[in-house]
Amino acid sequence: WLKFDVDSVDLTDEETIAARKLADAKRKLESEHGPIPEDAKIQQISQMINVDELSKDIDEAEREMYDLLRNSYLTIYNSVVWLGYFYVFFVSLLRVAIEGRGAMATNYAVMSWLLKSCQQTVFLELIHSATGITKNPLSASIMQILGRAVVLFLVVDMEPALQTTFCCYALVVAWSAIEVVRYPYYVAQIYDVYLPRLMWARYSIWIPLYPVGVACEAFLVYQCIGMVAASKRFSLYLPNRLNLASTLKHTSSSTLSRLLQVV
């Protein structure tokens, strides 16, 4: 008449855990197959417990392997992009320090290949957000990455006259300075490493640099509007077979209005 009720006692020792597993397996077995002889019941319960434990071990191993591959890939990706932006940032400042203000006019010509390579690589972050590799919102990633791509590839890179301006130099430095801090912070987050100074820099450096970057982007887009209108580059006029009209001038004007709203 005296029976030990496993479910009503909150214990954590190994024997109690094993007893609970045995009781759960017994109830599951009887609910699926009905009453079973005691000797067969013990054998089948033992098999069920072993299978469940093996399945959990396999699931845990798969999760650990996924985390290992994910963390390794993100570490390599963030490190490579950081090296690119760090080189752009460091050399841009070093050239001006050595050669003087005249180096600003030629900075884009020297750094454009690496800057464009970094920006093209950053498009992978859209895949990271879409597939859940990272937790960054996809909409925010699209706005940031495509916004920079439009200014870099369709505005600055297409107009040599803009590449020699001070705003172009300031834009390159502002962009690269933000990324020099952002990517090490991402690597630290992957491994749950808390670095107070890095966190402070991550969320503080953009306060002065973000307005500088947006103002330079707005100025370059504004200067580009007249140049694009004269060259008619990337423009489609009516009449045509598609019955569509689109001009880069209108696209630039729309981009400029959004930048001014941000400012």
Side-chain angles (χ1 to χ4, degrees):
W1 58 272
L2 183 60
K3 182 180 179 181
F4 180 72
D5 189 359
V6 176
D7 296 330
S8 62
V9 181
D10 187 16
L11 298 177
T12 58
D13 58 272
E14 295 181 359
E15 293 183 357
T16 303
I17 294 174
R20 286 177 177 171
K21 288 184 178 180
L22 186 62
D24 293 339
K26 178 181 177 181
R27 286 193 294 268
K28 181 178 179 181
L29 190 62
E30 291 181 343
S31 64
E32 294 178 354
H33 304 285
I36 298 176
E38 193 66 27
D39 55 346
K41 186 185 301 183
I42 294 175
Q43 182 179 1
Q44 293 189 28
I45 289 174
S46 300
Q47 292 176 355
M48 289 177 62
I49 292 175
N50 293 333
V51 170
D52 290 342
E53 291 180 351
L54 179 61
S55 177
K56 291 179 181 178
D57 291 340
I58 293 175
D59 293 340
E60 184 178 355
E62 289 177 350
R63 286 194 298 269
E64 291 178 355
M65 180 59 67
Y66 171 79
D67 291 339
L68 176 62
L69 294 176
R70 170 185 172 275
N71 294 344
S72 300
Y73 165 73
L74 289 178
T75 301
I76 295 172
Y77 166 80
N78 289 320
S79 300
V80 169
V81 178
W82 176 80
L83 285 173
Y85 277 116
F86 178 79
Y87 183 84
V88 172
F89 175 73
F90 179 75
V91 174
S92 296
L93 296 180
L94 183 63
R95 292 184 69 248
V96 173
I98 295 175
E99 302 176 18
R101 294 177 59 88
M104 295 182 183
T106 59
N107 186 69
Y108 184 82
V110 176
M111 293 288 99
S112 61
W113 68 273
L114 184 54
L115 183 64
K116 290 187 289 186
S117 298
C118 291
Q119 184 60 42
Q120 290 168 350
T121 306
V122 167
F123 276 101
L124 289 174
E125 295 183 16
L126 299 179
I127 301 176
H128 298 168
S129 298
T131 57
I133 296 178
T134 60
K135 298 179 181 179
N136 296 334
L138 180 59
S139 58
S141 299
I142 291 175
M143 292 178 60
Q144 179 181 2
I145 294 172
L146 293 186
R148 279 194 180 184
V150 168
V151 174
L152 178 60
F153 294 108
L154 298 183
V155 176
V156 177
D157 199 58
M158 291 294 178
E159 297 294 344
L162 298 177
Q163 299 171 10
T164 59
T165 61
F166 171 77
C167 279
C168 181
Y169 174 81
L171 182 63
V172 171
V173 172
W175 278 357
S176 56
I178 292 175
E179 307 303 355
V180 163
V181 176
R182 184 163 69 99
Y183 285 102
Y185 175 77
Y186 286 165
V187 173
Q189 289 293 104
I190 293 173
Y191 300 99
D192 295 327
V193 177
Y194 176 67
L195 301 173
R197 294 184 179 179
L198 181 60
M199 178 176 288
W200 177 86
R202 167 71 177 91
Y203 291 104
S204 300
I205 195 172
W206 68 271
I207 296 175
L209 292 180
Y210 186 77
V212 172
V214 172
C216 291
E217 291 175 13
F219 175 82
L220 294 172
V221 171
Y222 175 76
Q223 293 292 322
C224 181
I225 292 176
M227 300 176 183
V228 169
S231 64
K232 297 183 179 180
R233 187 173 58 252
F234 299 122
S235 299
L236 182 64
Y237 296 96
L238 293 173
N240 57 66
R241 294 182 179 180
L242 298 176
N243 197 30
L244 295 174
S246 176
T247 64
L248 185 58
K249 175 183 177 181
H250 294 155
T251 304
S252 301
S253 301
S254 176
T255 303
L256 177 61
S257 65
R258 292 190 178 93
L259 290 172
L260 292 177
Q261 290 176 2
V262 172
V263 174

